[in-house]
Amino acid sequence: MSQPLILGIETSCDETAVGIVRGRTLLANVISSSVEEHARFGGVVPEIASRAHLEAMPSVLEQALREARVSIKDIDAFAVTAGPGLIGALLVGVSSASALSIAMDKPIYGVNHLSAHIAVDALNSDHPLKPTIALLVSGGHSSILQVNDIASDVKVLGSTMDDAAGEAFDKIARLLELGFPGGPAIDREAKQGNKSAIDFPRGLTHPSDQGEHAYNFSFSGLKTAVSRYLQQTPLSARADVAASFQEAVVDVLVTKAIAACKETGIDSLVIAGGVAANSRLREMATERTAKAGIDLRIPTMDLCTDNGAMVAALGSIAVSSGRAPSQVGFAASSSAGLNQIIW
Ligand code: KG4
Ligand code: ZN
């Protein structure tokens, strides 16, 4: 099937999202977030997220079908995030998609959330994803990947040894009393500050780290350095701290992603995941990849953070490449790795 109509469901964390694509064309992308219900706890509370998914699912689904101007009967296949993520939250999506698949007698594809973050690039470009390096930076994951085939062959070149990049943004935002989620708040605050004000450490970039840790990340030293700095400096310098912290994170991410492109000889880079919405990351990556002759692709902002379109995009790639659907009754997996892309 060359232009399948795919409905994708995403519920791995705090976004209840449904996306609809036809082939590589985005028709609808509806997102309901429970982020405000978690804000006073300073992080996502799994039980609250699961209940919010249950409550939001019917209306998000209806709205997506309306936006795409299609009927549920027209859908050729359903795709759903099967992992990794919060298990209770994943179960709401997997149960909903399984029920739709059975009721409409159409195939279902359980897909990997991380792979889906990258697959969304297919909706932005008219040429298919060729082998590419991917920098995947979200609230739960930070990795550099060699993507040979987004639906079947993704090799992990390196990952974070401690916090994910988004998690580091969220923790530093808490120290700076900027609220949750921290990424967008630091991004905004940093615009008022001087990114060269404080020379914060760049983890695992020392020449001695270049062997084993060439593509690994560590943000714990940076977090400690920011916390020590704040103990000695009043919060009035917070814009400078935000800007300098952001610069340190972004510098490491971009340096290592470009090094991976150079070492593998792959001159294409996709940056995906929630942190890819960061304005300084987008700016620095654009400058440095242009200098290095690397083709850079970053999804539009609304397709960087969790959404259903990315799940539908990966489902569409799976269908058009002839992958067998998942067996109804498959289990969601909170800790799925990239060795499991389609269930
Ligand atoms: O991919 P995502 O929506 O959910 C996960 O799969 O984790 O990523 C969420 C993460 C959060 O940590 C959030 O603070 C971060 O992405 N984020 C940002 C920005 N927007 C979202 N980080 C830095 N700058 C941003 N503008
Ligand atoms: Zn995500």
Side-chain angles (χ1 to χ4, degrees):
M1 203 181 293
S2 65
Q3 295 283 305
L5 185 65
I6 310 293
L7 185 145
I9 296 181
E10 156 62 38
T11 62
S12 68
C13 191
D14 57 344
E15 268 94 27
T16 314
V18 174
I20 301 177
V21 306
R22 189 184 300 280
R24 291 177 185 277
T25 307
L26 178 62
L27 301 183
N29 187 32
V30 177
I31 300 167
S32 163
S33 176
S34 61
V35 67
E36 277 167 18
E37 293 175 54
H38 307 284
R40 69 192 171 101
F41 302 102
V44 174
V45 182
E47 282 75 15
I48 294 179
S50 306
R51 198 183 55 221
H53 288 311
L54 270 177
E55 286 167 2
M57 184 59 73
S59 62
V60 171
L61 191 57
E62 274 170 27
Q63 201 184 326
L65 290 164
R66 248 194 331 269
E67 222 170 76
R69 296 171 184 274
V70 297
S71 151
I72 191 81
K73 294 189 205 115
D74 302 330
I75 302 295
D76 293 313
F78 297 93
V80 59
T81 298
L86 303 169
I87 192 67
L90 288 166
L91 282 173
V92 178
V94 170
S95 311
S96 306
S98 301
L100 288 168
S101 159
I102 294 167
M104 304 316 298
D105 197 21
K106 292 289 167 60
I108 181 171
Y109 289 81
V111 306
N112 186 300
H113 179 83
L114 308 176
S115 213
H117 265 301
I118 302 161
V120 80
D121 171 67
L123 304 177
N124 277 334
S125 51
D126 43 16
H127 53 104
L129 269 176
K130 51 183 181 175
T132 186
I133 296 297
L135 171 64
L136 178 68
V137 273
S138 72
H141 295 84
S142 294
S143 311
I144 295 186
L145 311 168
Q146 180 175 330
V147 181
N148 299 317
D149 180 329
I150 190 61
S152 62
D153 183 5
V154 178
K155 186 172 149 198
V156 181
L157 300 182
S159 289
T160 183
M161 314 290 289
D162 37 62
D163 289 348
E167 202 177 350
F169 271 93
D170 294 335
K171 287 182 177 168
I172 297 304
R174 202 174 308 155
L175 290 179
L176 292 174
E177 296 172 13
L178 287 171
F180 174 84
I186 289 193
D187 200 344
R188 275 193 303 276
E189 185 74 17
K191 291 200 165 69
Q192 319 298 323
N194 173 4
K195 60 182 187 304
S196 314
I198 311 143
D199 187 19
F200 284 131
R202 270 76 168 152
L204 298 181
T205 54
H206 192 265
S208 64
D209 294 321
Q210 288 323 293
E212 189 191 353
H213 293 307
Y215 307 124
N216 288 336
F217 301 109
S218 169
F219 298 109
S220 63
L222 171 59
K223 201 172 61 190
T224 308
V226 175
S227 148
R228 285 224 184 92
Y229 184 87
L230 286 172
Q231 279 162 11
Q232 291 151 12
T233 317
L235 272 182
S236 58
R238 125 175 131 169
D240 285 348
V241 176
S244 303
F245 158 77
Q246 176 174 274
E247 192 70 5
V249 174
V250 167
D251 185 17
V252 174
L253 296 177
V254 175
T255 302
K256 292 197 175 219
I258 290 182
C261 290
K262 288 193 172 154
E263 184 147 317
T264 56
I266 297 175
D267 63 354
S268 159
L269 174 65
V270 174
I271 305 185
V275 181
N278 183 268
S279 60
R280 181 62 185 141
L281 174 58
R282 297 172 86 94
E283 181 182 59
M284 190 192 285
T286 304
E287 283 165 15
R288 292 204 197 159
T289 51
K291 276 198 196 116
I294 295 164
D295 170 28
L296 173 69
R297 284 133 69 164
I298 314 180
T300 53
M301 303 276 275
D302 55 333
L303 296 179
C304 285
T305 43
D306 290 348
N307 64 83
M310 66 188 205
V311 178
L314 183 50
S316 180
I317 292 170
V319 170
S320 51
S321 59
R323 288 291 297 258
S326 310
Q327 298 286 331
V328 177
F330 65 82
S333 160
S334 60
S335 59
L338 279 160
N339 50 349
Q340 187 174 23
I341 296 179
I342 309 287
W343 264 241

